[in-house]
Amino acid sequence: MPANGLTRRAFIGSSAAAALAARLFAAPEGSTKPNPELENLAAAALREAKKLKASYADIRIIRYRQQFLTVRLNPERGTGKTLEVPVVSDGGSFGFGVRVIVDGAWGFAASPLVTQEEIARMVGEAVAVARANVAIRSKPVELAPVPVYRERWQTPHERDPFAVPLEEKLELIRTAAAEVKKEKGVFSSSCNLSFRSEDKYFASSVGSSIQQLNLQTYAMVNATATDFKRRLTKSRRYQPQQVTAGYEYVPLMNLVENAQRIRTEVIEHLNAPPVTPGKKDLVLMPSHLWLTIHESIGHSTELDRALGYEANFAGTSFLTTDKMGKERVGSELMNIWGDRTTDRGLATTGFDDDGVKATKFPIVEKGIFKHYQTIRDQAHLIGERESRGCCYADNWSSVPFQRMPNVWLEPGKSGTSIDDLIAGVDDGILIDGDGSFSIDQQRYNFQFGGDAFWEIKHGKKQGMVSRVAYQSRTTDFWQSLDLIAGPSYWQQWGAPNDGKGEPEQINSVSHGCSPARFRQVNVIQTD
Amino acid sequence: MLTREQAQKITAKTLSFSTFPECDISVNSSERAFIRFALNDVTTSGFTVEQSMSISSVRDGQSGSTRVDEFDDDSLREAVKRTERLATIAPANPERVPPLEKQKYPELENYAASTAGARNQAMIPHIRAIIDGAKANNLVAAGFFERSAETAAIANKQGNFGYGRVTDAGLSATVRNAAGSSSGWASQPAVLIESIDGAAVAKTAIDKCLRWKEPRRLDPGKYTVVLEPTATGDLVQMMGFGMQARAAEEGRSFLSKQGGGTLEGEKLFPEFVTLRSDPFNKLYSALPWSGGGGFGFGGGGGGAGGGLPAERITWIENGVVKNLVYDRYWAAKAGKQPTPFPNRMVLEGGGKSLADLIASVDRGLLVTRFWYIRVVNPQTMQVTGLTRDGVFLIEQGKVTAPVMNFRFNQSPVEMLKNTLAMGTPVRVRGGEGQGMIAPAIVVKDFSFTSISDAV
């Protein structure tokens, strides 16, 4: 995708290192190729790596910027007067990381000093790491082939969120938080907006040179209600879809209108009776189901987990490599894609951190597990010749490894509505929003809560219930899927902070789906 | 990494750019070296250098913050200017506390030059011991060895300055059989890298893996459990988040009293339960102030919680809730002394050996560790999670059979209330969180709610 001529306000423009970062990542009108100054810095790294006998090398030079604004409205201790407590921060980070393969072993080093000298020094450190590790290496690293690219890519957007005046953003979040607090029974409320940009340059000894700008936009509105007599607190949250987009997405979130909705719903939640536990049908909204998809299917189809690379931390997978292409994991309705190209998905990008162009591939087809998420140094281990473009590092100082793309569930037939899902339920629960989540180290047994729960009786949605969680086994759960709402209901939610790896790294990823119905799932009553 | 003199110079320079009455700074520089291994082979490994400065400026209660990792004069000047611009636009914060006056920080440094200087060559023999041990038993090892060193400083316009250095290291390993039907795990966190023993880690993980064969399927339900120290730490470390006075007073905590008020001063736990924060414990390396820097607790440049001198503090003493967490704002409102945030936690023990504890149980389960622990209800502190890497049946005081993993739904608060006996505390770090110093414990009525097929 060509650059769209973004003009950044030079907020940190007048300083030395910061000025270098601003200059390196500026996007002149019509520019479709990486900045030559970045290419020169990278060339120094690749030259040094070649000199030190690295068979492969890459460098990522990255500038991050994060802006976070929040206001919380809560009663003052002693007086009960409502106080508005703001937090405003705007910071960044700039540095580089180099990877090398020497004698068949990986080495990595990173530093925040982006100069030719420091880059050369850290290439030496990365080579030293690799050389030392040869002592415990049994098989040399093998990389799947990749085409050479010289490109520039950025998140499609219309309005740079960092260029929008703070006053405008503060006005919005103050209004939304105040709307929630208008309901007398609300104890406290909050609203936040945050933006993250990642200016990333990648170059490798393969010959690629890729400059990208990834932009993420987040918001949230919270309401908390407390009944001191009953020693009971409940919350309700409006979590807009988290997106890769610019500020043009913020008005679409309708923060104020949704603030008015949740201030009523939090009171309903506080007074909702506890669920009666037992086997029940579940109608799960996209704001909730995304997390179940993420944990049960997203993570179980990561090749590094299946092979045992994560055995010491995140765990392995019930989907061992012998099951690829034939194992039934869900009902015929279940079609799931791995996809780094979805519109506004958090893992959507132009190229991964191996320099592989973003891809889309089937993970589950009609309930059968088809493909793993892969990167260049693992594709050959399952007999594949190309990476599926799932390599990512969460920082310039982090080692790139296999991370999840957007993993999404195909919608049901056109015309299937949420009312159709509910109409077929005699005794069930409708769940909106995510809550507590936990799944075992091979992704079999899980437990999910939610943000709000409504009882369904005899085909009709009833009042709210509380203290709901459901437990199931991944394959039992997905085989109980019997109806999915149509494409017009399809929406993506996601997480900015999915954890994996040692040292632990985070990843941002979205999971689209339409509301879906699952039969006879074990519902428990929590505290 | 920044020396004290360099830290003094750079913080003074940064403060010289400030035009507001208040400017708080926290600066960190760190180095880490790490090796990851899996499938009896090295995987990823690196050496990284990082630095960052957090700056917060305040005028008339209006505050703006930034983070920067470029330390040249122009970058720092611009960063201070940015915070002042942000503060000019931000609404005034009615909960802002005055800046810290000059503090007297304790002499607290447990910094190991051996750890700070170690590179891959120092770690490889231990990893080789694990891989060789696994291979000798036809098993497959995965694991992680990391060492880190950090220097940190805080400073503000009121003349407060603090400097500290910390080091830490940790080796953990998971050993599985080739069929993937058995798994064992062990871990050693340590300030001194030379106290880490790869052969000992290998022995424990391999032994667990070999013993956890063809596990028996038991019904979920309430069991008496013997939690190994890591399992105890996995759950008790979460209690730190539930100790805030504000949450208790606002009705959001297990320490909230019905009708209002808190349970501070009440005896909720057995006599032998004592829980402290102890940054001076030699098993830890800590900064001389609380709430700032040091592996996982960022900030601390003088906000509502950070920057106070580090201190030992007892949260639960002989079963009585002795102290709640008061940040500086809430302490001022409540007429209390502010406290540090629970960190460097120590659950005191009863001195019994693990074998003694197992021998005391007629029928129960021995648990190696827990995994994927998440809060279900913050008010009761009910959490859910799973057992991992070794659950065994205890019958008539003896370990008799491996058992399949369980999911639990259990509050660590109720767990401590139901604790029957305690072993000798050791430093532990499981798969999640910072870890703590904790003993093995015996607990009655621990609630397992379903079976997991996971290995």
Side-chain angles (χ1 to χ4, degrees):
Chain A
M1 209 165 299
N4 71 356
L6 165 73
T7 308
R8 276 170 173 278
R9 192 170 67 162
F11 199 41
I12 49 173
S14 65
S15 55
L20 170 67
R23 190 172 74 236
L24 290 175
F25 293 110
E29 192 75 38
S31 159
T32 58
K33 297 295 173 205
N35 181 312
E37 208 172 339
L38 281 168
E39 293 191 319
N40 283 341
L41 285 167
L46 301 177
R47 261 197 318 272
E48 185 71 11
K50 194 173 177 187
K51 197 172 89 189
L52 297 173
K53 311 270 188 256
S55 59
Y56 171 83
D58 64 32
I59 180 166
R60 290 169 305 119
I61 304 171
I62 306 177
R63 176 179 68 166
Y64 299 100
R65 184 156 170 209
Q66 272 180 304
Q67 194 176 72
F68 179 77
L69 303 98
T70 185
V71 291
R72 190 181 76 234
L73 298 180
N74 53 248
E76 183 176 39
R77 190 184 191 278
T79 68
K81 189 179 124 193
T82 297
L83 301 181
E84 184 194 55
V85 182
V87 175
V88 176
S89 70
D90 186 328
S93 174
F94 178 44
F96 72 93
V98 291
R99 281 198 304 181
V100 297
I101 298 175
V102 180
D103 296 336
W106 278 117
F108 175 82
S111 165
L113 306 173
V114 185
T115 64
Q116 296 237 3
E117 299 71 35
E118 181 73 353
I119 287 171
R121 187 176 82 85
M122 294 317 271
V123 168
E125 292 285 1
V127 168
V129 166
R131 289 222 166 98
N133 291 344
V134 169
I136 45 170
R137 172 186 69 67
S138 64
K139 284 193 290 289
V141 177
E142 198 177 308
L143 297 178
V146 61
V148 175
Y149 299 100
R150 184 160 179 258
E151 290 199 28
R152 193 158 182 155
W153 186 92
Q154 65 179 6
T155 300
H157 64 283
E158 292 162 20
R159 204 174 173 199
D160 175 8
F162 296 97
V164 174
L166 273 181
E167 291 87 339
E168 184 180 334
K169 298 167 185 166
L170 283 165
E171 169 72 22
L172 175 62
I173 62 173
R174 295 173 83 175
T175 305
E179 278 299 325
V180 177
K181 198 72 175 68
K182 279 181 184 167
E183 162 61 52
K184 268 209 286 212
V186 168
F187 181 81
S188 63
S189 67
S190 68
C191 181
N192 66 58
L193 266 179
S194 63
F195 308 95
R196 182 173 189 263
S197 71
E198 178 191 46
D199 278 302
K200 176 159 62 181
Y201 175 73
F202 169 93
S204 76
S205 54
V206 170
S208 286
S209 169
I210 300 162
Q211 185 173 346
Q212 303 188 84
L213 166 63
N214 296 298
L215 267 180
Q216 297 175 346
T217 293
Y218 300 91
M220 174 117 74
V221 189
N222 277 297
T224 301
T226 301
D227 182 334
F228 285 92
K229 278 190 193 147
R230 290 187 291 154
R231 206 169 78 151
L232 204 59
T233 294
K234 293 288 174 199
S235 60
R236 179 71 173 126
R237 197 172 78 225
Y238 169 55
Q239 170 64 75
Q241 293 171 66
Q242 311 89 337
V243 290
T244 46
Y247 201 82
E248 70 282 357
Y249 190 76
V250 172
L252 305 179
M253 292 175 170
N254 295 320
L255 294 178
V256 175
E257 293 82 344
N258 282 288
Q260 291 163 353
R261 174 173 60 82
I262 66 162
R263 73 184 180 208
T264 310
E265 289 181 352
V266 73
I267 303 301
E268 198 184 346
H269 197 187
L270 185 69
N271 296 316
V275 69
T276 307
K279 295 260 185 193
K280 290 177 193 294
D281 295 341
L282 300 179
V283 174
L284 304 179
M285 301 300 285
S287 59
H288 172 89
L289 184 56
W290 76 267
L291 184 53
T292 311
I293 295 169
H294 172 87
E295 299 291 359
S296 65
I297 302 300
H299 279 304
S300 64
T301 56
E302 293 174 310
L303 180 59
D304 61 345
R305 290 186 65 119
L307 292 171
Y309 286 82
E310 278 288 329
N312 189 55
F313 181 61
T316 59
S317 172
F318 72 94
L319 287 171
T320 44
T321 51
D322 54 311
K323 293 174 179 165
M324 192 170 80
K326 52 191 177 205
E327 183 79 358
R328 176 161 292 282
V329 293
S331 76
E332 289 275 334
L333 300 179
M334 185 190 186
N335 291 293
I336 289 197
W337 292 85
D339 188 352
R340 299 198 73 179
T341 70
T342 46
D343 185 29
R344 290 179 179 155
L346 289 175
T348 297
T349 190
F351 298 85
D352 79 349
D353 285 349
D354 270 339
V356 174
K357 203 172 176 68
T359 66
K360 175 185 175 185
F361 57 96
I363 290 180
V364 176
E365 278 177 354
K366 294 187 173 177
I368 306 293
F369 165 51
K370 290 290 180 185
H371 293 293
Y372 286 110
Q373 307 154 41
T374 63
I375 62 175
R376 287 189 71 202
D377 71 0
Q378 289 166 357
H380 71 282
L381 297 170
I382 50 168
E384 295 195 353
R385 304 177 70 145
E386 287 183 342
S387 160
R388 295 189 187 274
C390 300
C391 189
Y392 175 72
D394 69 352
N395 201 293
W396 50 261
S397 62
S398 301
V399 183
F401 71 128
Q402 193 267 299
R403 297 311 307 258
M404 201 185 295
N406 304 304
V407 171
W408 56 270
L409 174 68
E410 275 186 15
K413 284 186 187 142
S414 218
T416 305
S417 72
I418 184 154
D419 290 340
D420 295 332
L421 270 61
I422 293 171
V425 173
D426 190 51
D427 176 20
I429 310 281
L430 182 146
I431 305 182
D432 178 64
D434 56 79
S436 176
F437 56 99
S438 172
I439 187 163
D440 69 40
Q441 71 274 16
Q442 288 192 303
R443 306 279 145 171
Y444 287 109
N445 174 306
F446 60 67
Q447 177 175 314
F448 290 98
D451 193 56
F453 319 92
W454 288 265
E455 198 167 34
I456 302 171
K457 283 283 182 199
H458 314 304
K460 296 221 163 8
K461 184 179 163 191
Q462 311 287 322
M464 234 187 235
V465 287
S466 64
R467 298 169 59 184
V468 179
Y470 61 93
Q471 291 185 345
S472 189
R473 190 173 185 271
T474 293
T475 46
D476 296 345
F477 177 80
W478 284 103
Q479 291 197 49
S480 78
L481 168 68
D482 84 333
L483 193 60
I484 309 175
S488 61
Y489 291 87
W490 194 91
Q491 289 179 301
Q492 300 183 95
W493 265 269
N497 56 356
D498 177 35
K500 187 177 156 187
E502 293 177 295
E504 189 171 359
Q505 296 187 36
I506 57 167
N507 180 35
S508 310
V509 58
S510 291
H511 303 286
C513 57
S514 290
R517 187 171 70 198
F518 298 83
R519 295 293 193 185
Q520 296 300 289
V521 180
N522 185 31
V523 170
I524 64 166
Q525 186 190 100
T526 63
D527 277 2
Chain B
M1 290 184 299
L2 292 173
T3 62
R4 175 183 289 271
E5 291 66 36
Q6 287 169 329
Q8 265 165 338
K9 209 169 146 191
I10 200 165
T11 53
K13 179 162 277 176
T14 308
L15 290 171
S16 76
F17 299 138
S18 165
T19 66
F20 276 25
E22 296 175 37
C23 183
D24 279 307
I25 295 171
S26 142
V27 59
N28 293 64
S29 62
S30 63
E31 280 184 8
R32 62 165 73 179
F34 57 88
I35 305 176
R36 217 178 172 200
F37 55 103
L39 305 175
N40 291 336
D41 199 354
V42 63
T43 57
T44 51
S45 176
F47 173 71
T48 61
V49 179
E50 293 181 75
Q51 61 183 26
S52 74
M53 185 184 287
S54 298
I55 306 167
S56 188
S57 293
V58 185
R59 186 174 64 190
D60 299 331
Q62 293 174 275
S63 167
S65 304
T66 194
R67 186 202 117 130
V68 62
D69 49 20
E70 299 114 342
F71 288 180
D72 58 279
D73 287 6
D74 286 348
S75 297
L76 294 174
R77 185 185 291 112
E78 191 53 42
V80 172
K81 241 191 239 172
R82 185 184 320 147
T83 60
E84 295 184 348
R85 247 179 279 158
L86 293 171
T88 306
I89 299 166
N93 180 354
E95 295 192 355
R96 181 77 193 166
V97 289
L100 279 174
E101 296 301 323
K102 198 169 170 137
Q103 302 289 302
K104 187 169 167 34
Y105 292 114
E107 289 297 319
L108 171 55
E109 182 172 283
N110 187 16
Y111 180 88
S114 56
T115 306
R119 296 293 295 270
N120 289 34
Q121 286 80 355
M123 298 188 265
I124 282 170
H126 298 280
I127 294 171
R128 183 180 276 141
I130 294 167
I131 291 175
D132 288 350
K135 281 181 178 168
N137 288 280
N138 292 318
L139 301 172
V140 185
F144 182 57
F145 199 156
E146 179 182 44
R147 70 85 179 152
S148 54
E150 177 185 348
T151 64
I154 52 174
N156 70 12
K157 270 191 119 167
Q158 281 59 41
N160 190 38
F161 178 82
Y163 175 82
R165 303 191 299 170
V166 288
T167 53
D168 209 16
L171 171 63
S172 62
T174 298
V175 174
R176 296 166 66 83
N177 65 0
S181 59
S182 179
S183 181
W185 175 88
S187 145
Q188 274 186 4
V191 173
L192 277 173
I193 198 163
E194 54 267 39
S195 66
I196 286 178
D197 180 354
V201 169
K203 186 172 182 301
T204 305
I206 289 167
D207 176 60
K208 290 257 183 199
C209 178
L210 293 175
R211 286 197 294 132
W212 200 72
K213 251 184 199 161
E214 294 171 16
R216 200 185 284 185
R217 191 180 183 91
L218 292 188
D219 288 336
K222 292 198 169 180
Y223 284 86
T224 295
V225 289
V226 176
L227 304 185
E228 290 195 11
T230 302
T232 306
D234 284 340
L235 294 186
V236 174
Q237 66 177 343
M238 303 196 79
M239 287 183 63
F241 299 104
M243 300 297 294
Q244 280 90 345
R246 182 173 192 161
E249 288 186 19
E250 292 183 346
R252 295 182 278 120
S253 147
F254 76 94
L255 293 165
S256 304
K257 200 180 240 178
Q258 194 143 9
T262 78
L263 297 174
E264 188 174 353
E266 304 218 3
K267 187 167 185 297
L268 300 186
F269 305 98
E271 191 75 15
F272 51 79
V273 172
T274 294
L275 181 68
R276 307 179 193 280
S277 283
D278 187 359
F280 295 87
N281 190 303
K282 286 293 175 200
L283 295 177
Y284 288 133
S285 182
L287 295 172
W289 60 89
S290 68
F295 307 116
F297 292 92
L308 292 168
E311 59 173 312
R312 287 185 190 91
I313 183 161
T314 305
W315 307 110
I316 300 166
E317 187 167 57
N318 299 331
V320 176
V321 179
K322 190 79 178 168
N323 284 294
L324 302 186
V325 180
Y326 287 88
D327 64 29
R328 291 174 59 222
Y329 169 73
W330 206 252
K333 284 280 173 189
K336 298 267 191 177
Q337 284 300 308
T339 64
F341 186 82
N343 190 0
R344 282 18 185 224
M345 302 264 276
V346 179
L347 178 64
E348 292 197 350
K352 290 186 175 169
S353 69
L354 182 63
D356 291 339
L357 297 180
I358 292 168
S360 73
V361 173
D362 188 48
R363 189 170 191 276
L365 297 170
L366 172 65
V367 176
T368 301
R369 66 168 178 145
F370 295 114
W371 172 244
Y372 221 123
I373 306 157
R374 294 293 182 275
V375 174
V376 174
N377 183 331
Q379 201 169 1
T380 62
M381 289 220 62
Q382 183 185 42
V383 297
T384 189
L386 299 119
T387 60
R388 181 170 174 180
D389 298 317
V391 188
F392 299 91
L393 181 63
I394 302 169
E395 291 173 301
Q396 297 176 334
K398 289 195 166 38
V399 174
T400 56
V403 174
M404 284 179 72
N405 282 309
F406 284 112
R407 170 172 297 288
F408 65 90
N409 278 267
Q410 172 72 52
S411 162
V413 177
E414 293 306 308
M415 179 182 89
L416 277 188
K417 286 180 183 175
N418 289 336
T419 297
L420 303 171
M422 299 175 120
T424 305
V426 292
R427 187 171 167 204
V428 293
R429 188 190 293 143
E432 297 171 303
Q434 299 302 305
M436 60 180 291
I437 294 169
I441 60 175
V442 183
V443 180
K444 67 175 182 183
D445 292 337
F446 194 95
S447 180
F448 294 110
T449 55
S450 56
I451 295 170
S452 158
D453 295 299
V455 175

